Amino acid sequence: MSKVALVTGASRGIGRAIALRLAADGYSVGVNYASSAAKAEEVVAEIVAAGGSAVAIRADVADADEVNAMFATISEELGSVTVLVNNAGITDDGLLLRMNADQWDRVIATNLRSVYLCTKAALRGMIRAKGGRIISVSSVSGISGNPGQANYAASKAGVIGFTKSTAKEVGSRGITVNAVAPGFIATDMTDALGEEVTEAATHQISLGRLGSPEEVASVVGYLASDEASYITGQTIVVDGGLAL
Ligand code: NAP
């Protein structure tokens, strides 16, 4: 079977590291992005320079038509997707009493509706191929909750419930569905929180430091590999002991 991976939100941060990891593992990679075209092309160039194959594909993962067009493009250019990584995500934090409905809707659409849209689009080919891997990036916020992140935590808890239900639906087709739940990982998303918040968070992490995008990517690489063939419906926490 050809090895084709689609990583959503792969222009930066954790998604970028996952795209590079899967390319190193022999996958042709679809590098999805929303607006950072130059950064996505840099990821593609890095993969190609290392002898791999990749294409950058712009699509808003919350938009059904754009998601379907993205799957048509990747299927034409690389082949049918065998590993889908639902990674694209945003935050729009605020205490609940001050959170407006647009903040709620945008985060739920980008982080959860996207997982439904992309997984459904990927499953068609995977069911035909009688196998495949779906891996979604949740968060420890979706397990433990976090003040100021009711929208984000709800979206990430939703990803965990979605993962369990879908794993039960498609297990008989040879498809595994899992999630990873990172803690505090050094990316643009956490940079935006500022030094004070980062410092306070670091004190709560057993390993005493932020994680790197590569440390999340290695777990995704494992879940995509043959080594993980009997794992499904699980959420693997990658947080250095933050949620203990
Ligand atoms: P990031 O550095 O902010 O990167 C976000 C990525 O998502 C970018 O590639 C961005 O594309 C893409 N994206 C955003 N909205 C999109 C949309 N509508 N359609 C397509 N792509 C979109 O974030 P990150 O820290 O790497 O986070 C990646 C995932 O891990 C997210 O799901 C996040 O919730 C989760 N996570 C992160 C942490 C952490 O500590 N960093 C912890 C737990 C979970 P553009 O570059 O084009 O904007």
Side-chain angles (χ1 to χ4, degrees), residues 83-84 131-136 163-164 166-168 170-181 218-237:
V83 173
L84 167 67
R133 298 286 163 92
I134 312 277
I135 302 155
S136 302
T163 296
K164 291 177 183 172
T166 311
K168 288 185 176 185
V170 300
S172 64
R173 314 294 190 121
I175 301 164
T176 69
V177 189
N178 290 293
V180 294
S218 65
V219 180
V220 174
Y222 167 69
L223 287 171
S225 76
D226 291 343
E227 302 294 306
S229 53
Y230 204 54
I231 299 176
T232 196
Q234 302 305 305
T235 297
I236 300 186
V237 174

Side-chain angles (χ1 to χ4, degrees), residues 91-99 103 107 141 145-153 193:
T91 51
D92 193 343
D93 298 350
L95 294 173
L96 188 62
L97 286 178
R98 287 195 211 129
M99 186 181 288
Q103 271 176 293
V107 169
S141 289
N146 205 17
Q149 288 200 316
N151 51 358
Y152 183 77
L193 297 172

Side-chain angles (χ1 to χ4, degrees), residues 26-51:
Y27 288 89
S28 300
V29 183
V31 176
N32 161 255
Y33 65 97
S35 56
S36 307
K39 286 191 190 279
E41 290 299 349
E42 273 171 33
V43 177
V44 168
E46 201 171 328
I47 291 171
V48 171

